[in-house]
């Protein structure tokens, strides 16, 4: 554990440099100097351009697409900081990839989330700071401390300004049974009712809506999810809420905008009026931005978490 008073330094890989700059701006720090590139064969090439001996080092790197490249960048940066005698290393992973493989759903499945947790700890990380893990139990896969921040309060602030608190015309909907606990807390913050879309998933990235539990007829729906990958589930749930449930309009929000093909085309054609995402993952390169998609910055909450970790005070208030 680092002795209090040592220098704090924030570095980043290439996954989401803008977010790292935003975090540094909130901390009133300069981003640490490091060059991240690749050799001709695709191997990660890293050079840390300033001393980190004894420093409290935070490495900002979501493991988003290209997942394996960004994961290797993170592991190599952690290793470099450890070998340079950093006092403590915190892996700041706003989006934790491989989190969907958190159990053996069928015979001979890997538990990739546990493997990645082992790799991060073995590389030399002393703790992990992340947001909205796909499954909360992944925190237990690590043998080092994990702080799992929540994105729902950020969305709650957005929709409280938009619709007010206790609006009877508004209802929060969980897009599946697995997200009910998250949606219930979100609905409680808005002081509105909760409904659930019951769906059956035949295979990865494909699902079939089966039933809507709750009365959404004539009401404004807010769909809350942890991630949007191909957007099939989200757009399917929105369509069912309007066509089957009789909802007046559908808003949606999700912590992580993975937005794999064909997500953007599906969102263009969907009945979703507005989709709010957190900037844990940048908008896909070479894709024109959609007017119906907005971003809420997580830089302030990550900056405050980093400051609290450095000062060695509780971060519990950030969960409220």
């Amino acid at each position: 554990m680092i002795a209090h008073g040592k220098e704090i330094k924030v570095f980043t890989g290439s996954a989401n440099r803008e977010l790292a700059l935003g975090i540094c701006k909130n901390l009133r720090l300069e981003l640490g100097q490091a060059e991240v590139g690749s050799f001709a064969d695709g191997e990660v090439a890293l050079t840390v351009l300033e001393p980190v001996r004894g420093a409290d080092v935070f490495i900002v790197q979501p493991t988003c697409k290209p997942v394996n490249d960004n994961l290797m960048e993170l592991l190599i940066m952690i290793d470099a900081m450890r070998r340079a005698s950093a006092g403590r290393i915190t892996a700041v992973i706003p989006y934790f990839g491989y989190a969907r493989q958190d159990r053996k759903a069928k015979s001979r499945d890997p538990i990739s989330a546990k493997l990645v947790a082992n790799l991060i700890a073995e590389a030399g990380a002393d703790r992990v700071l992340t947001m909205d893990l796909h499954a909360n139990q992944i925190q237990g896969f690590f043998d080092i401390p994990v702080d799992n921040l929540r994105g729902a309060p950020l969305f709650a602030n957005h929709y409280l300004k938009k619709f007010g608190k206790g609006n009877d015309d508004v209802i929060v909907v969980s897009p599946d049974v697995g997200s009910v606990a998250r949606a219930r807390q979100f609905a409680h913050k808005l002081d509105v009712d909760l409904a659930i879309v019951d769906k059956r998933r035949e295979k990865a990235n494909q699902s079939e809506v089966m039933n809507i539990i709750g009365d959404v007829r004539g009401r404004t729906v807010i769909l809350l999810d942890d991630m949007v990958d191909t957007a099939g589930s989200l757009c399917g749930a929105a369509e069912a809420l309007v066509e089957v449930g009789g909802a007046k309009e559908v808003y949606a929000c999700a912590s992580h905008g993975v937005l794999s093909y064909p997500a953007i085309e599906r969102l263009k054609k969907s009945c979703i009026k507005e989709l709010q995402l957190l900037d844990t993952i940048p908008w896909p390169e070479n894709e024109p931005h959609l007017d119906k998609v907005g971003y809420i910055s997580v830089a302030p909450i990550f900056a405050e978490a980093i400051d609290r970790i450095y000062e060695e005070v509780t971060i519990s208030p950030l969960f409220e």
Side-chain angles (χ1 to χ4, degrees):
M1 184 64 68
I2 192 168
H4 181 69
K6 289 288 187 177
E7 191 175 9
I8 179 173
K9 295 197 175 188
V10 178
F11 292 85
T12 186
S14 58
N16 197 342
R17 187 176 177 84
E18 287 301 314
L19 175 58
L21 288 169
I23 291 171
C24 286
K25 183 178 180 181
N26 279 271
L27 289 170
R28 298 181 181 178
L29 294 173
E30 292 292 327
L31 186 63
Q33 297 181 45
E35 289 181 355
V36 184
S38 60
F39 293 106
D41 63 353
E43 291 179 2
V44 175
L46 171 70
T47 304
V48 180
L49 301 173
E50 61 182 85
V52 296
R53 184 177 298 273
D56 200 351
V57 172
F58 295 83
I59 302 171
V60 181
Q61 177 79 340
T63 51
C64 51
K65 190 164 56 176
V67 180
N68 297 330
D69 290 348
N70 287 331
L71 176 58
M72 281 306 301
E73 274 188 22
L74 174 63
L75 297 174
I76 290 171
M77 290 192 80
I78 293 170
D79 181 74
M81 300 301 174
R82 177 173 61 89
R83 295 178 187 278
S85 301
R88 179 173 61 184
I89 302 166
T90 300
V92 182
I93 313 173
Y95 167 70
F96 184 83
Y98 284 109
R100 284 172 284 187
Q101 295 177 304
D102 64 307
R103 66 194 186 283
K104 291 185 69 171
K106 57 183 184 296
S107 299
R108 296 175 295 281
D109 272 1
I111 305 181
S112 305
K114 172 59 175 169
L115 172 62
V116 172
N118 289 346
L119 289 171
I120 291 169
E122 188 63 28
D126 294 297
R127 66 186 305 124
V128 169
L129 175 62
T130 187
M131 175 169 276
D132 281 339
L133 288 168
H134 187 63
N136 285 326
Q137 62 266 26
I138 292 174
Q139 294 175 81
F141 292 178
F142 288 87
D143 294 324
I144 55 178
V146 177
D147 294 309
N148 183 30
L149 301 176
R150 298 171 184 167
L154 301 176
F155 292 127
N157 290 338
H158 174 80
Y159 289 111
L160 282 171
K161 292 175 184 176
K162 195 176 192 74
F163 299 117
K165 188 169 185 177
N167 189 333
D168 292 336
D169 291 332
V170 175
I171 185 169
V172 168
V173 175
S174 172
D176 54 46
V177 175
S179 300
V180 171
R182 184 186 294 110
R184 182 180 292 113
Q185 292 175 350
F186 181 58
H188 178 71
K189 289 181 181 297
L190 297 181
D191 192 21
V192 298
D193 294 334
L194 174 68
I196 304 166
V197 175
D198 180 28
K199 68 183 181 183
R200 179 176 59 218
R201 187 181 299 276
E202 299 294 343
K203 56 184 179 180
N205 299 126
Q206 291 188 16
S207 62
E208 177 187 348
V209 174
M210 295 178 64
N211 199 8
I212 298 170
I213 304 170
D215 183 15
V216 301
R217 187 166 300 279
R219 303 172 83 176
T220 296
V221 165
I222 304 175
L223 271 167
L224 174 72
D225 210 347
D226 68 317
M227 72 168 67
V228 180
D229 189 356
T230 62
S233 296
L234 190 72
C235 293
E239 183 179 350
L241 287 164
V242 172
E243 295 184 0
V244 179
K248 181 172 64 175
E249 55 186 2
V250 178
Y251 291 78
C253 53
S255 298
H256 310 298
V258 180
L259 301 180
S260 304
Y261 179 82
I264 294 175
E265 284 302 315
R266 283 174 170 167
L267 289 170
K268 281 182 184 177
K269 299 173 183 177
S270 77
C271 61
I272 295 173
K273 186 170 183 178
E274 174 192 272
L275 171 62
Q276 287 292 327
L277 301 171
L278 302 179
D279 62 349
T280 56
I281 301 174
W283 181 260
E285 288 186 21
N286 305 319
E287 290 285 353
H289 194 78
L290 295 183
D291 290 339
K292 68 167 64 176
V293 179
Y295 278 89
I296 298 172
S297 179
V298 296
I301 191 172
F302 271 97
E304 186 171 351
I306 288 171
D307 186 54
R308 286 172 175 270
I309 290 169
Y310 172 68
E311 296 289 350
E312 297 184 355
V313 297
T314 180
I315 71 166
S316 296
L318 301 184
F319 298 122
E320 297 301 325

